[in-house]
Amino acid sequence: MTDPTLDPARTSWVASANGHTEFPIQNLPLGVFSPAGGGPRGGIAIGDSIFDISAALELGLFSGPALEAAQAASGRTLNDFMGAGPAPRQALRRAVSDLLATGGAGQAYAARLLHAASACTMHLPNRVNNFTDFFAGIHHVITAGQMTRPDNPVLPNYRYVPVAYHSRASSVRVSGEKLVRPNGQRKRPDEAAPTYGPCRNLDYEIELGVWVGEGNQVGEPIPIGQAGRHIAGFCLLNDWSARDIQSWESQPLGPFLGKSFSTFVSPWIVTAEALAPFRRAQPDRPDGDPKPLPHLWDEADQATGGLDIDFEVYIHTQKMRAEGTEPHRLSAVNGSILYWTVAQMVAHHTSNGCNLIPGDLFGTGTLSGPDVRTEGCLLEMSRGGSRPIDLGNGETRTYLQDGDDIVFKAHCGGAGKVPIGFGECRGRVGPALSL
Ligand code: CA
């Protein structure tokens, strides 16, 4: 273990961090928060608290490369910090880990450095200039594709191209906001003509979000071997989907109003450094699948590009909340089901010379496995609304109802490793605006 910030033996003087299921000292995710009575600023989650980067700057606790990095990470967005690349990010991580470690110099200033997370408001960590949604969960592609093309669910390009579309950046929101049910054009097969009204088939999609670090110039593709330095960190992403609006409008072009009404992300950026212990080999492609073209193939990426992250989806209905019952787990899936690595997504995205900008957001595509209860959206779980899902309390769902809370969680662990988590991506469905 050459990186002391990842040493499993390292503990913190912040007592709640030790054994914390999300934010032990080995995680240190970055975000933007407002303390009670204060304005937005950069922070780092530690146990049940948030470390205030600007307070540490005022106290003169940083020097050298970490000082410059802390200045870039202390404001109301992290874009400039993200764009500076891995070295400043790693310098800040080391400095903050040392300040928070047992015996670290930060303890003498605990009252100024730490805010109770429960008293803070989280914000979007970056100004999102671009949001690209991939389609890398192959079991989602198979299960959803079977509904329209039973004999040919996966089109031939899929195994060569990390398929994606440009989604909407302006409506990306942070966990905890309310989702307004979208209005739109809907037409069931038994209806002669479309009508305009509230979405009838509202769905979520659980995805891994990817925050872009360093950008690239127009016309200069990022080689796959260098993609890693352009990936700053990760979050949870809910690609809310209006299935009825989507299916009517997507003939023949791709998703538009069925997706653009809102996308939620978890507030904390789990850095590439914190996730490093949880990388694994990308699983071999099934027999008969083609090897990707050379510009999408890198042996080192294949050796470490898989992500051992356990994702979970929970629903907490109005009835469950009223009766005081726990949220119901809808599904769970491991990130190793992704058909394409994040490095392959970066290389493909820029392979035509398209430029990425610091703080750009990717979604990986719906994370679904091949089995029941590993499916990452209701479209799959309910087979297009034809198979109600039992919530275990007398309620069923095909699609979401007003008042439903959808909560995503993600954790990493394993023998000899300190487990870390992503925090939550949470959203409550609210009624459509009246017409
Ligand atoms: Ca999606």
Side-chain angles (χ1 to χ4, degrees), residues 133-135 140 165 205 207 237 239 241 259 365-366:
D133 199 19
F134 283 84
F135 201 39
H140 172 68
Y165 70 100
E205 290 185 341
E207 304 191 20
L237 185 147
D239 181 27
S241 299
K259 298 282 193 175
T366 306

